[in-house]
Amino acid sequence: MFTPVAVTATNTACTVDRGVSLSAVRMKDGRLVTLEPAATLRCEMAAAVARWVREGIEPAVATLGAPLDTVLVAGSQQCRPRNRVVGARTSEHGRGNAMDTRGYVLKDGRRFVIGAPMPGSGDAAMPVAFQERIKASACADFTTILGPGSDGYHEQHLHVDRAERRSGAVLCQWAVTEATAKVPSPPRKPDAPAATDAAEGADEEAPPAANGRENPGTSQ
């Protein structure tokens, strides 16, 4: 679902061409997958993200045993330098030409996150085969792809953008590694008995922390 938005910027490097808010993407079966929170992007980037969610992320998530419900957005349009480094070039985020994701929520309630899950969060690490599928789809649709192991700034999220390079090169960097947590079972309903009692040389910077504040120790 695209809603036109006006993005005001005092820095001309952060002018957004035809800005939109992308809040959900309709899948081939007609259901809506939510972006949480909605991503503010330039129109062309929003269209690319919608296509990626529908044709790349959704089929990959289906291999985990349940349909995709929500894409967790870690960052979209924000006027700032690359990796939040003072004096660096303006990030593609400034023009609404980049988006960061930190994980995916399935219809059965399971959450798979990029990088190592926080202890006690209930999140699961992504299986290797799943990471490979997401990486391949992202690298086919975008020109910059930065994930864990790329540059030290993207250990907990995946950055994608459509930066234009004179060489036409694609920068695809994500060091896929073994999952650090077991894939959880779908959460049981409250009235169901338990089986047992113990049953970001690239671009981006750190996304805001979960409490809405920026994480000062990282740079997406």
Side-chain angles (χ1 to χ4, degrees):
M1 297 177 66
F2 300 87
T3 305
V5 294
V7 179
T8 12
T10 53
N11 183 344
T12 55
C14 293
T15 301
V16 177
D17 178 30
R18 294 192 298 160
V20 299
S21 174
L22 178 62
S23 58
V25 178
R26 191 169 297 281
M27 298 295 101
K28 293 178 180 179
D29 63 3
R31 77 182 193 283
L32 286 175
V33 166
T34 303
L35 274 73
E36 186 180 288
T40 299
L41 304 164
R42 62 193 294 258
C43 187
E44 291 80 1
M45 180 63 182
V49 167
R51 181 174 61 250
W52 179 44
V53 171
R54 184 183 305 111
E55 300 177 6
I57 297 176
E58 160 70 2
V61 166
T63 67
L64 300 176
L68 176 65
D69 182 70
T70 305
V71 174
L72 302 175
V73 176
S76 55
Q77 194 279 332
Q78 184 182 32
C79 190
R80 59 171 174 76
R82 292 181 178 181
N83 297 318
R84 304 185 192 277
V85 175
V86 176
R89 292 176 59 186
T90 302
S91 167
E92 289 295 314
H93 280 286
R95 300 193 301 121
N97 202 35
M99 190 180 83
D100 302 328
T101 58
R102 61 186 180 88
Y104 312 104
V105 183
L106 280 58
K107 276 287 186 184
D108 61 16
R110 288 177 293 163
R111 294 163 54 100
F112 290 85
V113 295
I114 293 163
M118 295 294 291
S121 65
D123 296 337
M126 296 178 176
V128 169
F130 178 73
Q131 293 180 59
E132 293 284 11
R133 291 188 65 140
I134 294 292
K135 178 180 178 181
S137 66
C139 294
D141 284 342
F142 301 97
T143 59
T144 309
I145 303 88
L146 301 170
S150 60
D151 59 4
Y153 292 108
H154 301 82
E155 297 308 300
Q156 299 297 133
H157 65 279
L158 176 65
H159 167 89
V160 296
D161 70 40
R162 291 176 64 82
E164 296 180 3
R165 300 182 177 90
R166 282 176 291 184
S167 65
V170 172
L171 181 66
C172 181
Q173 297 182 350
W174 180 358
V176 170
T177 58
E178 290 289 340
T180 56
K182 293 181 179 179
V183 176
S185 300
R188 63 185 179 90
K189 295 179 181 179
D191 58 348
T196 64
D197 289 335
E200 318 121 149
D203 189 358
E204 294 322 306
E205 66 189 81
N211 60 6
R213 299 174 185 169
E214 291 186 1
N215 186 341
T218 56
S219 175
Q220 181 324 21

